[in-house]
């Protein structure tokens, strides 16, 4: 038996396909609305446990319910996604099972009671393969929504929840982006001197028909772009055909999110910037001169 | 009332070397209070000052986390006291093992209002330890926390969520992982460093923790090999033209083959 944890969104196709490759049935525990539970029931899993509508409780309040379900199911592998509530619930299951928890999972196989896991370590500078004889909790990129397949029974279980309550919500950004689906992405870094200068990066992105992304400091700290637009170990992971890093130093925490790009272009004024060594095309120079020139060259017929 | 802040003494993998067989060597990297844990300590200090509460640091790890260098570095950031669990067995502890050691240490402390942690550690970056600690203690866990206030019997918390912020009310103690920009970190001054030397450090024994399975192999990262082509930028327009034609030839521009 393997367990997948669903928290608020049915975008867990990768968890479902990863679980399907393992020994044993797949149980999905769903925290969130009935609609999410119903969508998960038709994604190819064998059984769904749903804890009822959350109401004003945050998804994290269901940690004891997830822990209880994990303890009862005695799974070999527990899979969860990378979003905040998914991490908290995966951690709760790991705690209940006293199971090791690993991130950046690249491959997992199971056979006759042993699980082999290959995963990136230290921000993805190397990979390690480990063998487990007991339960293990693994964090896997959720991916999109799985195609409709089968119809698993949904068991509604009343849940014991923690005493926490959402009392107010403020919406600031309205558009959510799916950077993972973009074929071309332009990433801006702190090489930009001012927020207004994002316009030259936006012009390049428009000419390339690329999505705009950034490094973490631009999204957290400077608040120039929303948090779901930063790339890296703790942000989005992308594998586009083209990634253009502009004024990005290329610390490994950032590169961990973009390494799977087919082609990387780096524009940086510091010839020693680490990003230049990780690029297919390296342009050492001032982004304020180079980016408008590239935009103009792209706009030429 | 106590505010406990968990932090990690760790080195930046940027300074580590990776051998041909994928072994990561941190021996020449310098450890420090992990970047985002300094944010957690700053948030905890503000909260302690507001409520007249003691701010106690807690760290677990290998023997090096108990050295004077390490404990003073943490104490000088504004902690009142420190609890340290240092044991060779914890050097290689993963997220669950680390969380077990933290939870065991916390179980012996009375009157904790809140456990504050950073967003993620600089060396592992799993963002999982707070979740496992909360699970082991049966405490609520929230991450991406941007503000905290303590009210009688409750915590009032604001956190960043996709597309906005949320306010929450939590009864009783909780584990809160603060956002990377929840506070601005100031470098400790000379006075802080001197005061740190006089603050109490309590060493706690380590209990056995779960291991991260059995290591079978290591390997270097295998990504697409990069071409490393330098485009001369003496003339920006010429550089731009050269880049665009190269990308067009690669087929990665609009209309390029899939
Ligand atoms: C635990 C942890 C997790 C992290 N996770 C992430 C993550 O997920 N994603 C992430 O991005 N970061 C992450 N970071 C932060 C990361 O380590 C770096 O600090 C960050 O990526 C650097 O952002 P930057 O490249 O924009 O800024 P900087 O490092 O300041 O680089 C700016 C670059 O711009 C160049 N530049 C300046 N002026 C110009 C000009 N006129 N023209 C051209 N180039 C110019 C400079 O040479 C420099 O290389 C994390 C850090 C920690 C500790």
């Amino acid at each position: 038996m393997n367990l997948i944890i669903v928290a608020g969104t049915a975008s867990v196709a990768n968890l479902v396909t990863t679980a399907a490759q393992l020994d044993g049935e797949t149980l999905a525990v769903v925290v969130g609305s009935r609609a999410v539970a119903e969508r998960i029931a038709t994604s190819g899993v064998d059984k769904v446990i749903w804890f009822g509508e959350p109401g004003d409780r945050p998804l994290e309040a269901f940690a004891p319910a997830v822990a209880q379900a994990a303890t009862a199911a005695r799974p070999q592998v527990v899979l969860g996604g990378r979003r905040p509530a998914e991490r908290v619930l995966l951690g709760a299951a790991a705690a209940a099972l006293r199971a090791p928890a690993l991130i950046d999972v690249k491959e997992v196989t199971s056979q006759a009671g042993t699980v082999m896991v290959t995963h990136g370590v230290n921000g993805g500078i190397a990979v390690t393969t480990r063998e487990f004889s007991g339960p293990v909790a693994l964090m896997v990129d959720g991916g999109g929504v799985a195609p409709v397949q089968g119809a698993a029974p949904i068991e509604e279980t009343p849940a014991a929840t923690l005493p926490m309550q959402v009392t107010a919500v403020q919406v600031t950004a309205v558009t959510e982006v799916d950077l993972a689906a973009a074929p071309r992405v332009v990433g801006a870094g702190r090489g930009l001197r001012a927020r207004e200068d994002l316009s030259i990066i936006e012009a390049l992105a428009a000419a390339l028909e690329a999505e705009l992304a950034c490094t973490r400091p631009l999204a957290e700290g400077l608040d120039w772009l929303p948090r779901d637009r930063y790339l890296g170990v703790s942000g989005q992971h992308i594998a586009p055909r083209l990634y253009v890093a502009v004024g990005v130093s290329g610390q490994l925490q950032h590169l961990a999110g973009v390494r799977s790009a087919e082609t990387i272009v780096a524009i940086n004024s510091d010839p020693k910037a680490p990003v230049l060594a990780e690029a297919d095309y390296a342009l050492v120079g001032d982004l304020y001169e180079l980016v408008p020139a590239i935009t103009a060259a792209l706009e030429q017929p | 009332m106590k505010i406990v802040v968990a932090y990690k003494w760790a080195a930046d993998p940027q300074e580590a070397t990776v051998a041909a067989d994928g072994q990561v060597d941190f021996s020449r990297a310098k450890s420090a209070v992990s970047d985002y844990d300094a944010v957690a300590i700053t948030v905890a200090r503000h909260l302690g000052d507001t409520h007249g509460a003691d701010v106690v640091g807690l760290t677990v790890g290998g023997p090096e986390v108990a050295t004077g260098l390490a404990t003073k570095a943490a104490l000088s950031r504004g902690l009142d006291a420190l609890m340290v669990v240092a044991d060779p067995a914890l050097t290689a502890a993963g997220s669950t093992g680390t969380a077990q050691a933290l939870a065991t240490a916390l179980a012996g402390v009375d009157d904790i209002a809140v456990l504050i942690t950073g967003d993620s550690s600089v060396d592992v970056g799993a963002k999982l330890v707070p979740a496992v600690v909360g699970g082991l203690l049966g405490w609520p866990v929230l991450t991406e926390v941007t503000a905290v206030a303590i009210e009688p019997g409750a915590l009032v918390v604001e956190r960043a969520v996709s597309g906005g912020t949320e306010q929450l009310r939590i009864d009783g103690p909780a584990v809160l992982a603060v956002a990377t920009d929840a506070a601005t970190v100031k470098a400790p001054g000379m006075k802080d460093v001197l005061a740190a030397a006089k603050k109490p450090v309590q060493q706690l024994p380590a209990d056995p923790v779960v291991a991260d399975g059995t290591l079978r192999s290591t390997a270097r990262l295998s990504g697409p090999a990069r071409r490393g082509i330098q485009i001369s930028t003496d003339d920006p327009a010429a550089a731009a033209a050269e880049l665009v034609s190269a990308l067009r030839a690669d087929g990665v521009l609009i209309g390029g083959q899939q």
Side-chain angles (χ1 to χ4, degrees):
Chain A
M1 161 81 73
N2 302 295
L3 190 87
I4 70 172
I5 294 174
V6 179
T9 166
S11 293
V12 292
N14 284 347
L15 308 191
V16 176
T17 47
T18 305
Q21 290 157 13
L22 302 172
D23 246 9
E25 299 207 308
T26 305
L27 166 67
V29 294
V30 178
V31 173
S33 68
R34 177 179 277 282
V36 172
E38 281 172 355
R39 186 61 190 82
I40 295 298
T42 58
S43 67
V45 302
D46 298 297
K47 189 183 161 190
V48 173
I49 294 182
W50 178 55
F51 301 117
E53 294 293 341
D56 64 1
R57 293 172 291 187
L59 302 176
E60 288 88 344
F62 290 80
V66 171
Q68 243 168 45
T71 308
R74 298 162 49 86
Q76 194 172 29
V77 176
V78 183
L79 298 169
R82 301 174 66 246
R83 300 175 191 91
E86 293 169 333
R87 288 180 199 253
V88 169
L89 299 176
L90 183 68
L97 299 167
R98 303 292 189 272
L102 303 177
I103 61 161
D104 200 2
V105 172
K106 307 202 182 287
E107 203 184 320
V108 42
T109 56
S110 72
Q111 210 176 34
T114 54
V115 181
M116 294 284 265
V117 183
T118 301
H119 71 115
V121 294
N122 299 124
I125 54 175
V127 293
T128 290
T129 301
R130 293 173 181 278
E131 185 179 319
F132 299 87
S133 50
V136 58
L138 305 177
M139 200 189 290
V140 175
D141 248 323
V145 178
V148 173
Q149 185 193 341
I154 302 179
E155 179 187 315
E156 185 174 344
T157 311
T161 53
L162 293 163
M164 51 204 306
Q165 191 193 350
V166 179
T167 53
V169 181
Q170 277 94 41
V171 179
T172 48
V174 272
T175 46
E176 272 188 45
V177 283
D178 188 4
L179 291 178
R184 283 169 298 278
V185 176
V186 178
R190 261 195 310 216
L192 283 179
R193 285 192 285 265
R195 183 180 198 145
E196 305 81 75
D197 301 347
L198 270 176
S199 61
I200 66 167
I201 310 290
E202 282 162 352
L204 173 63
L208 281 168
E209 288 185 19
E211 279 291 351
L212 180 64
C214 62
T215 61
R216 186 166 189 166
L218 260 59
E220 294 183 2
L222 292 172
D223 286 336
W224 289 357
L225 285 166
R227 283 168 201 251
D228 55 1
R229 283 203 193 253
Y230 82 81
L231 306 169
V233 64
S234 28
Q236 305 294 317
H237 290 202
I238 57 169
R241 301 211 61 206
L242 174 66
Y243 177 59
V244 184
V246 185
V248 169
S249 59
Q251 302 298 307
L252 70 92
Q253 287 94 358
H254 179 77
L255 291 176
V258 303
R259 275 220 177 85
S260 304
E262 183 184 318
T263 298
I264 295 183
V265 175
I267 301 166
N268 198 301
S269 52
D270 174 5
K272 291 209 261 326
V275 71
L276 295 169
E278 296 269 351
D280 295 289
Y281 298 103
L283 286 80
V284 177
D286 184 0
L287 73 90
Y288 287 90
E289 286 180 9
L290 290 168
V291 171
I294 296 165
T295 307
L298 284 162
E299 281 163 352
Q300 258 157 44
Chain B
M1 181 167 70
K2 290 192 192 78
I3 293 159
V4 182
V5 48
Y7 73 90
K8 187 169 189 180
W9 182 251
D12 191 336
Q14 195 83 35
E15 293 171 30
T17 52
V18 183
D21 65 355
Q23 300 264 9
V24 181
D25 178 8
F26 271 100
S27 60
R28 267 176 297 171
K30 266 217 233 76
S31 290
V33 172
S34 183
D35 300 41
Y36 297 143
D37 294 345
V39 179
I41 296 175
T42 308
V43 170
R45 182 69 264 166
H46 288 321
L47 202 57
D49 291 344
T50 309
H51 297 282
D54 276 345
V55 180
V56 180
L58 169 62
T59 193
V60 309
E64 67 284 0
V65 309
T67 57
L69 174 75
T71 56
K72 274 181 230 154
L75 285 163
S76 66
R77 294 191 169 276
L79 301 169
D80 296 314
L82 201 55
M83 296 188 295
V84 178
V85 186
D87 192 282
L90 290 172
T91 302
S95 297
T96 304
T98 301
Q100 283 180 306
L102 290 169
T104 305
L106 289 166
V109 184
D110 295 329
D111 200 21
I112 301 177
V114 58
L115 171 67
I116 298 196
T117 77
D119 169 88
S120 50
S121 63
V122 65
D123 57 345
V124 178
K127 293 191 178 184
L128 272 176
V129 170
V132 185
V133 173
L136 291 166
L137 296 171
W139 292 6
V141 180
L142 287 175
T143 59
E144 312 272 337
V145 168
T146 49
V148 199
I150 302 177
E151 288 187 358
L155 297 168
V156 176
V157 176
E158 184 182 285
R159 67 155 164 185
V161 292
S162 176
T165 58
E166 254 178 26
Q167 269 79 45
L168 299 104
R169 194 181 165 82
I170 305 174
D171 295 335
V175 181
L176 303 180
V178 296
T180 60
D181 53 356
T184 313
V185 173
K186 277 205 285 268
M190 194 42 129
K191 243 173 60 193
D192 307 310
V193 175
L194 292 174
K198 300 195 194 87
K199 291 177 180 172
V201 177
Q202 183 190 8
Q203 291 230 30
L204 302 170
D207 285 346
V209 298
V210 63
D212 270 359
T214 312
L215 183 64
R216 286 295 174 224
S217 63
T218 59
R220 285 188 78 106
L221 191 75
S222 56
R226 297 295 163 202
R227 284 167 278 171
I229 298 166
Q230 289 268 350
I231 294 182
S232 163
T233 53
D234 298 340
D235 173 358
E242 186 181 340
L243 175 68
V244 170
S245 71
L247 294 176
R248 198 158 277 144
D250 289 348
V252 295
L253 295 184
I254 309 147
Q257 78 274 5
Q258 286 304 297

